[in-house]
Amino acid sequence: MQNRIVLGMASLCLGVLVFSLQDPLVKAVSSTYPVTEVMAIRSIVALPILIFLVH
């Protein structure tokens, strides 16, 4: 039970870190690439990760 609590806390911290890093990265890249392209690439990268986590 204790390991699942630690895993949940680590997952939450990792999620917050990813969202925090994603915002400045998208802002920096969107000055050279169209926003729709940046969002599409972000989604394409996130999809395999999400499928792995859900599986």
Side-chain angles (χ1 to χ4, degrees):
M1 181 70 175
Q2 185 69 2
N3 289 340
R4 293 186 63 91
I5 293 172
V6 172
L7 180 63
M9 291 170 59
S11 297
L12 181 66
C13 290
L14 182 64
V16 169
L17 176 69
V18 167
F19 278 117
S20 298
L21 293 177
Q22 212 174 47
D23 185 45
L25 183 65
V26 167
K27 285 182 182 179
V29 173
S30 65
S31 64
T32 53
Y33 294 104
V35 176
T36 53
E37 187 176 337
V38 173
M39 292 297 128
I41 292 172
R42 185 184 81 163
S43 299
I44 290 169
V45 169
L47 185 62
I49 298 169
L50 180 64
I51 290 172
F52 174 75
L53 291 174
V54 169
H55 178 32

